[in-house]
Amino acid sequence: MYLENLIFDAVDPRRLGGFWEAAVGGDRLTDEADVVETRMTIEGGPVLDLCFARVPAPPSEPQRFHLDLLGGDRQGEVVERLVALGARHVDIGQGEVPWVVLADPEGNPFCVMEHRDAYTGTGPIAALPLDSADPVRDSEFWSWLTGWTNAPGVAPRTLRHPSRRGPLLEFCPEPEPKGVAKNRLHLDIRLEAGDDADEVAAGIAERGGHELHPDWGELPWRVYVDPSGNEFCVLPARS
């Protein structure tokens, strides 16, 4: 298994996908009315696809998963470029902090980070912070799913691709328990040849997650939540 996709719910996939493709320097994979995909390749590290899937209305629930973009010594320049692409400054109660909080064209907050040694070699996305009811438990769950391993960081627990390149996956104490609404961003795991989907489902359950059965018609993938209720999908192995 490996981490393949970062999925955004989008009212306008082409608009939102175009923004993030320009923000991270991605390469367009698909360009359809309902789904846009762009690929971010980290030299010597992971390949992550950012996918933008159409939803009928913008989300309203508190955001539990977001992107931290690399700013560092060029933080101001990066912020100016993103605002020119369609981002805007937002106040989510962050107060006086060294990072800058922006929202993308559909209102999803994200951060442009100051310099941190832990961000060396991350590429344009410095970190992927995920709300967690138990960062130690959830980091072990996601390490098993992705093959990413413990790494230095500022969150209670942090994982990173074994190459030690690409973004950090950070587990942050949740401000409140997960509600019933679906997260507006989620991750996809891809099975590899030889992985058994039912064995993976059993492993997810043994580690505190469980499978969902949404009324979305026939799907080629299976939908789960982690032990803190954050949704993710497990995609079949490529033929």
Side-chain angles (χ1 to χ4, degrees):
M1 296 182 290
Y2 60 94
L3 178 58
E4 180 173 86
N5 299 328
L6 175 60
I7 309 293
F8 291 70
D9 287 352
V11 175
D12 185 341
R14 284 186 169 138
R15 182 184 183 211
L16 191 61
F19 170 83
W20 281 105
E21 182 172 87
V24 305
D27 297 314
R28 184 66 57 95
L29 298 177
T30 64
D31 186 3
E32 303 173 7
D34 291 334
V35 179
V36 170
E37 298 176 288
T38 189
R39 175 161 291 171
M40 185 183 71
T41 302
I42 305 301
E43 185 176 357
V47 175
L48 293 175
D49 294 343
L50 281 65
C51 306
F52 304 85
R54 186 180 297 278
V55 294
S60 59
E61 80 287 351
Q63 189 164 358
R64 291 177 57 87
F65 184 38
H66 70 274
L67 277 62
D68 285 347
L69 298 190
L70 188 67
D73 297 335
R74 298 180 54 251
Q75 184 185 49
E77 297 174 34
V78 173
V79 169
E80 288 182 5
R81 184 175 74 87
L82 293 167
V83 169
L85 290 172
R88 59 185 173 84
H89 289 267
V90 292
D91 184 349
I92 57 172
Q94 66 267 25
E96 292 294 325
V97 292
W99 55 86
V100 178
V101 183
L102 301 176
D104 69 19
E106 292 202 0
N108 299 303
F110 65 95
C111 302
V112 181
M113 304 304 291
E114 77 283 7
H115 171 79
R116 294 181 182 180
D117 290 342
Y119 295 157
T120 301
T122 61
I125 301 177
L128 303 168
L130 179 66
D131 282 2
S132 167
D134 185 334
V136 173
R137 176 200 63 195
D138 289 350
S139 69
E140 292 173 354
F141 177 90
W142 281 97
S143 180
W144 171 76
L145 270 178
T146 63
W148 291 23
T149 56
N150 291 329
V154 297
R157 290 296 288 267
T158 299
L159 300 178
R160 198 170 188 183
H161 188 269
S163 65
R164 287 308 186 250
R165 299 188 63 79
L168 312 179
L169 180 55
E170 298 180 333
F171 298 88
C172 307
E174 61 184 18
E176 59 185 34
K178 173 76 160 62
V180 297
K182 175 178 172 288
N183 286 355
R184 67 183 77 178
L185 280 76
H186 71 269
L187 297 172
D188 281 354
I189 303 298
R190 174 73 70 177
L191 299 181
E192 297 181 89
D195 289 336
D196 184 279
D198 290 331
E199 289 181 2
V200 170
I204 289 169
E206 289 169 3
R207 291 166 174 82
H210 65 268
E211 188 168 2
L212 299 178
H213 300 280
D215 185 18
W216 297 340
E218 284 293 321
L219 298 173
W221 56 83
R222 294 166 72 167
V223 183
Y224 297 87
V225 294
D226 73 6
S228 291
N230 299 301
E231 296 88 359
F232 66 96
C233 298
V234 176
L235 313 182
R238 296 190 181 278
S239 58

